[in-house]
Amino acid sequence: MTTARIALATCSSLPDLEADDAPLIPALAARGVGAEPVVWDDPSVDWSVYDAVVIRSTWDYTGRPAEFLDWTRRVESVTRLFNPASVIAWNTDKVYQRALESAGLPIVPTIWLDPEQNYDSRRVHSRFPAFGDFVIKPTISAGSRDTGRYEAGVTPQRSMAITHAKNLLSAGRHVMIQRYLRNVDSAGESALVFFNGELSHTLRKGPLLDGPFRPGESEGVLYKDEVMTVREPSADELDVAQRVVAALPDLVPGVDGPLLYTRVDLIPDDEGNPVVLELEVIEPSFFFTLVPEAVERYADAIVARL
Ligand SMILES: Nc1ncnc2c1ncn2[C@@H]1O[C@H](COP(=O)(O)OP(=O)(O)O)[C@@H](O)[C@H]1O
Ligand SMILES: [Mg+2]
């Protein structure tokens, strides 16, 4: 007997969800919840027929964030959206990391370039580190798109980095410059997944960036395949991630308790201390294939909200 009906929002290229999320549907059905994949930008959808909309694989929004944010507000005007529209708006642009930093949380040290500053090549160049590898990425992105890694000591790479940054800036995009934290090469990245504020599981993601951004190459995506495994978080990682989760009500407008889902991505800095690379509260992958029992926890977490 179905007591609730929910939409799992996805993108048109994944109309049946990503394979990883497919077990969610039977897990919810077992709890009396009818869940169906729905394409977020399908204009024919009446969102008011759903008791709730849960965002999953809406990955094509990064090229049109305004349209996506408008959609979140429209959905929220007729039903409940997880995570809420205010959270999505806050998390879409990596400038949220400044709020984490102001709250005393450790982030990857970042130089921020504003497109309105009309940076010329020389001024862009002056912001690069003098030695070591560094990363250029836009503040609005996902899946390592438009992201590149450069060697400061190699002149042609510095030129490529200038071109990369200037192309982003002239497209009106805000740019982040970070030193490449090379401990990620051995330790990898840790993704701590929380449902309703409780740690569900932790994944290890292998290092992804191996060189400069090359336009056109796999749609501007530059990555080795994401190599994911399950890991246990260190005590320090758990501490930082829990502090991030606890800080969100103070940082995000309209949030008064734990979110349905939060993924905190950490990498070790040069001293080995975990720092926040990314906080994912829009459409994080949870890698249920690797942690099948987490599907049950997520389904329980959703049901607890209905
Ligand atoms: N400063 C950095 N040091 C080391 N690796 C980085 C750094 N910034 C990004 N990366 C690598 O690039 C990937 C994508 O960057 P991220 O900031 O997570 O953006 P997104 O996942 O939103 O595209 C990360 O998973 C990581 O492997
Ligand atoms: Mg990431």
Side-chain angles (χ1 to χ4, degrees), residues 189 205 265 278:
E189 178 177 338
K205 188 189 280 194
D265 295 348
E278 196 178 358

Side-chain angles (χ1 to χ4, degrees), residues 62 94 96-97 108-110 133-149 176-185 188-189 205-209 222-223 226 263 265 267-268 277-280:
T62 54
K94 289 191 172 80
Y96 69 76
Q97 293 184 5
V108 179
T110 303
D133 288 12
F134 63 98
V135 174
I136 304 249
K137 57 185 157 187
T139 62
I140 301 180
S141 185
S144 310
R145 274 193 289 283
D146 299 315
T147 298
R149 169 180 171 182
M176 303 164 77
I177 305 173
Q178 297 178 336
R179 285 199 316 102
Y180 183 82
L181 297 184
R182 46 179 56 259
N183 275 333
V184 78
D185 289 339
E189 178 177 338
K205 188 189 280 194
L208 287 176
L209 296 181
L222 178 82
Y223 58 85
E226 289 190 351
R263 201 186 78 197
D265 295 348
I267 56 176
L277 175 67
E278 196 178 358
L279 168 65
E280 249 285 19

Side-chain angles (χ1 to χ4, degrees), residues 7-17 36-47 50 53-75 81 88 282-283:
L8 301 170
T10 185
C11 56
S12 55
S13 56
L14 292 167
D16 296 317
L17 303 174
E36 50 194 275
V38 186
V39 173
W40 73 272
D41 58 350
D42 176 346
S44 69
V45 177
D46 176 3
W47 298 96
Y50 299 104
V53 175
V54 176
I55 297 177
R56 290 309 309 133
S57 37
T58 56
W59 296 332
D60 58 356
Y61 80 84
T62 54
R64 43 199 172 116
E67 189 184 329
F68 185 66
L69 295 181
D70 182 58
W71 171 78
T72 64
R73 287 184 290 261
R74 271 190 292 120
V75 168
L81 178 68
I88 309 299
I282 302 177
E283 23 68 298

